[in-house]
Amino acid sequence: MSAPATARPEAPGGHLPYRLIATDLDGTLLRGDDTVSPRSRDALAAATAAGAAHIVVTGRAVPWARHVLDDLGYRGLAVCGQGAQVYHAGEHRLLTSVTLDRQLAGLAVAKIEAETGPLALAASRDGLDGEVLVGPGYQAQGPLPYLTFQDMDEVWSAPLNKLYIQHPELDDDALAHVARTVAGHLVGVVMSGAGIVELLPLGLSKATGLSLAARRLGLRAADTIAFGDMPNDIPMFGWAGHGVAMANAHAELKSVADEITASNDEDGIAVVVERLFG
């Protein structure tokens, strides 16, 4: 895997096309089986050896991202929780963390349910060890750990990074549209995967966290190439100098990408990184 995300000078006698490589995890760097291919590992390692920095930028909060980063031997900065958290993987330490206003979140849920009827809810608690709470009817994605709840008072009892919402009939695009229409002035609304519509602190995005992390490394938006696959990556593409969507990406992200590469299962990141840094 890539070396720690620390800013370095350009290679002697050469010019780096980008000094910062920002990669989403699910559907982007991770293959469908939640692994990173040897080719992708080698491509990123070669780029960092040449002087670039690599930062993971994921919708997962730290507790759901940490085991992936540790398994990869990732030691640098990571942006987690849709930009809410800047995490130092090597030190297992949160550098910044933004929480969701629970009163506004409760009002947002009420406004959405007034339009759609009852929602199924889950919530991500703040902190290095913040649990994910899953309520009745919510279909949790994948094998990641969570606790169940029956009473909403449990959700509001501790600081949160975000809420997850699902609806028994509306698809993700329709649910996100309704949520933005009736509650977009209270919370941010993003779709980050199949069955994953999230309510975030208003104004928060992956671009927010990435810009903070880049600043710590002395790097700028123009120095950055970003890879992603879902609409929650749109702000990151808007901030970065160059945005690359995976072949498996959502149509909304493809429409704003500067480039479309191969899918996450076909080493799409490596295809681009090898071309630029080879």
Side-chain angles (χ1 to χ4, degrees), residues 49 75 97 136 173 182 229 256 272:
R75 305 283 295 171
S97 186
D173 290 292
V182 302
D229 73 310
V256 300
V272 175

Side-chain angles (χ1 to χ4, degrees), residues 142-206:
L144 297 168
Y146 60 85
L147 303 175
T148 59
F149 73 87
Q150 299 295 324
D151 187 339
M152 279 299 293
D153 287 344
E154 295 180 57
V155 173
W156 308 128
S157 66
L160 303 175
N161 292 128
K162 57 185 171 181
L163 289 178
Y164 302 89
I165 61 173
Q166 291 178 347
H167 190 272
E169 297 174 1
L170 296 176
D171 65 23
D172 299 334
D173 290 292
L175 179 57
H177 175 73
V178 171
R180 287 192 192 100
T181 300
V182 302
H185 61 295
L186 300 171
V187 294
V189 181
V190 298
M191 181 169 53
S192 58
I196 308 176
V197 176
E198 304 179 12
L199 307 184
L200 307 172
L202 190 64
L204 180 73
S205 72
K206 284 189 173 185

Side-chain angles (χ1 to χ4, degrees), residues 19-63:
R19 298 178 62 204
L20 179 59
I21 303 170
T23 64
D24 176 42
L25 279 182
D26 296 280
T28 303
L29 181 59
L30 295 179
R31 295 183 291 189
D33 61 0
D34 281 350
T35 65
V36 179
S37 73
R39 182 180 176 186
S40 292
R41 290 173 186 259
D42 290 346
L44 289 168
T48 57
H54 172 221
I55 291 184
V56 166
V57 186
T58 177
R60 299 188 188 205
V62 169

Side-chain angles (χ1 to χ4, degrees), residues 198-249:
E198 304 179 12
L199 307 184
L200 307 172
L202 190 64
L204 180 73
S205 72
K206 284 189 173 185
T208 314
L210 179 55
S211 64
L212 288 174
R215 194 175 306 141
R216 285 177 175 267
L217 303 178
L219 299 174
R220 306 164 301 154
D223 299 319
T224 306
I225 182 171
F227 294 83
D229 73 310
M230 291 299 291
N232 62 318
D233 295 312
I234 291 174
M236 179 168 68
F237 278 24
W239 181 84
H242 192 77
V244 182
M246 314 304 288
N248 51 288

Side-chain angles (χ1 to χ4, degrees), residues 84-175:
Q85 300 169 318
V86 177
Y87 171 64
H88 195 303
E91 299 177 359
H92 292 114
R93 184 165 60 95
L94 268 179
L95 303 181
T96 66
S97 186
V98 179
T99 56
L100 177 64
D101 185 302
R102 284 167 278 173
Q103 185 173 357
L104 289 180
L107 181 57
V109 169
K111 284 183 171 292
I112 297 167
E113 288 187 326
E115 295 292 324
T116 67
L119 298 169
L121 299 172
S124 175
R125 284 181 169 164
D126 186 41
L128 284 173
D129 300 305
E131 304 95 343
V132 172
L133 307 178
V134 171
Y138 190 90
Q139 301 298 312
Q141 308 298 309
L144 297 168
Y146 60 85
L147 303 175
T148 59
F149 73 87
Q150 299 295 324
D151 187 339
M152 279 299 293
D153 287 344
E154 295 180 57
V155 173
W156 308 128
S157 66
L160 303 175
N161 292 128
K162 57 185 171 181
L163 289 178
Y164 302 89
I165 61 173
Q166 291 178 347
H167 190 272
E169 297 174 1
L170 296 176
D171 65 23
D172 299 334
D173 290 292
L175 179 57

